[in-house]
Amino acid sequence: MEMLAILRRFLHFFPKEVEKIKDPFARSLSKRMQRLPVQMGLSESCIMSSCIKPLRQSNKTSPVVLLHCFDSSCLEWRCTYPLLEEAGLEAWAVDVLGWGFSDLETRPPCDVASKRHHLYQLWKSYMKRPMILVGPSLGASAAIDFAVHYPEAVEKLVLINPSVYAEGTGELAKLPKSVAYAGVGRLHCLLPWWKDATVNFMLSGGYNVISQIKQVKHRNPYHMWPTRSDCELPACSVHHSTFLGFKSFKLHSELSNAIIREVPGSGHLPHVDNPKCVAKLIADFAQGDADVDAKSQFGLPQLTALPR
């Protein structure tokens, strides 16, 4: 009860249902969450933007910025984030504009352009160095879209089970607000602006980065980690369309100098299902050891790159 009291006292932006959190990793990372002011325009007020800020800056590697999946939050990284810090990385877990725990009382636009601009302003204000941008699922579309528009801000890309061949939100854009809200029980969905922000994104058309993939011209290699084909979600699922199969190889061929890895024993969210493996791969990539068969503190074998 003492920990919950601390959460409620210092992190007042959480819904009261935070008291029901039993996951020790989520509770621990929740205590680290804070809101940083992000200026969106000259005449606009700041958006108090939720994120997990690193305890210290790294002089050895670039900042690692962790995005999340569609309509999720930075708590999605609750199991992997501590391992990244143990590996000595300067890791940021950020909430994409419109989702997570940012203060959206003013109801700013939450379309793709606004999400991109918000991330850029956050980077420009607090990170200020080219970053390693990590995007899982739909977050991979956000990462590609950002890298194409702001190449100076991105040193490397990490795409985890990327959903990048979906053209917008499709039928989701036609759903009424009542349907979009139904059946959602995640914590951030209880914030009063969640429904408006999510529907605003869906009605705007969502991400469509198919034409942008080949525009990613960064000199550094990219890691892409599709999951095993025995995942729980069906192959026809939009957000599960990049198995270790046709679309995975297609994306692999369209990204110059790409490196592909498989995360064993994971479903749609490898960073949730197998955090040790994902943390090792990110750490190796950030530290320039992606192709080195070195013994890791996580005790994991080297994963072999698939042929181009």
Side-chain angles (χ1 to χ4, degrees):
M1 293 302 295
E2 181 180 356
M3 180 179 294
L4 293 176
I6 293 175
L7 279 175
R8 297 195 66 181
R9 185 166 65 250
F10 291 103
L11 303 180
H12 58 279
F13 50 85
F14 278 112
K16 58 180 174 50
E17 285 79 3
V18 69
E19 298 179 1
K20 300 179 181 179
I21 293 180
K22 297 181 180 180
D23 185 332
F25 295 99
R27 291 170 63 175
S28 177
L29 202 59
S30 296
K31 295 177 63 177
R32 294 273 304 275
M33 191 178 293
Q34 57 185 290
R35 281 175 173 169
L36 300 177
V38 174
Q39 186 74 43
M40 292 290 285
L42 296 177
S43 60
E44 299 178 24
S45 59
C46 291
I47 292 178
M48 298 304 295
S49 306
S50 49
C51 67
I52 308 297
K53 186 178 178 181
L55 297 176
R56 62 187 65 85
Q57 180 176 315
S58 172
N59 296 322
K60 297 181 180 179
T61 63
S62 301
V64 176
V65 178
L66 309 169
L67 303 180
H68 55 72
C69 299
F70 170 77
D71 192 18
S72 184
S73 77
C74 59
L75 291 182
E76 187 178 288
W77 291 93
R78 58 192 177 275
C79 297
T80 305
Y81 188 92
L83 298 176
L84 295 175
E85 284 200 321
E86 288 179 15
L89 299 183
E90 178 187 335
W92 293 73
V94 302
D95 282 341
V96 176
L97 179 68
W99 299 316
F101 299 94
S102 297
D103 184 356
L104 304 181
E105 184 65 39
T106 59
R107 303 297 198 277
C110 295
D111 55 11
V112 169
S114 297
K115 292 178 189 295
R116 178 199 312 136
H117 181 62
H118 174 264
L119 178 58
Y120 177 74
Q121 291 300 113
L122 179 66
W123 170 82
K124 183 178 179 180
S125 298
Y126 299 101
M127 300 155 201
K128 303 178 182 179
R129 295 174 290 146
M131 59 182 167
I132 299 171
L133 188 57
V134 183
S137 190
L138 190 69
S141 289
I144 289 176
D145 174 78
F146 183 88
V148 168
H149 284 84
Y150 299 110
E152 72 279 7
V154 180
E155 178 188 351
K156 300 179 181 180
L157 276 179
V158 177
L159 309 178
I160 302 177
N161 201 15
S163 176
V164 296
Y165 288 109
E167 299 184 25
T169 56
E171 294 299 317
L172 290 176
K174 301 178 182 180
L175 292 176
K177 292 185 178 182
S178 59
V179 175
Y181 184 75
V184 181
R186 290 163 298 175
L187 189 61
H188 69 280
C189 299
L190 300 174
L191 293 173
W193 45 78
W194 168 81
K195 180 167 58 174
D196 290 339
T198 300
V199 172
N200 179 265
F201 168 73
M202 293 193 296
L203 294 178
S204 73
Y207 284 97
N208 186 349
V209 300
I210 296 175
S211 64
Q212 295 179 333
I213 295 173
K214 292 184 179 180
Q215 299 178 40
V216 180
K217 300 298 183 182
H218 292 75
R219 294 166 54 189
N220 298 96
Y222 311 91
H223 272 204
M224 181 180 62
W225 305 319
T227 57
R228 290 188 180 277
S229 58
D230 58 355
C231 303
E232 295 179 2
L233 295 179
C236 60
S237 172
V238 171
H239 295 303
H240 202 250
S241 61
T242 50
F243 285 129
L244 194 58
F246 171 73
K247 291 187 177 181
S248 296
F249 288 113
K250 180 181 179 181
L251 180 57
H252 184 54
S253 66
E254 290 185 345
L255 283 175
S256 178
N257 299 318
I259 299 174
I260 187 171
R261 296 288 188 265
E262 182 183 11
V263 179
S266 64
H268 183 56
L269 303 178
H271 51 303
V272 175
D273 298 329
N274 196 342
K276 287 187 176 182
C277 183
V278 170
K280 177 193 183 307
L281 289 169
I282 293 177
D284 285 350
F285 189 48
Q287 295 163 356
D289 298 327
D291 295 311
V292 178
D293 190 9
K295 291 184 178 180
S296 166
Q297 61 177 311
F298 303 125
L300 293 166
Q302 175 71 11
L303 298 178
T304 304
L306 295 177
R308 291 293 301 267

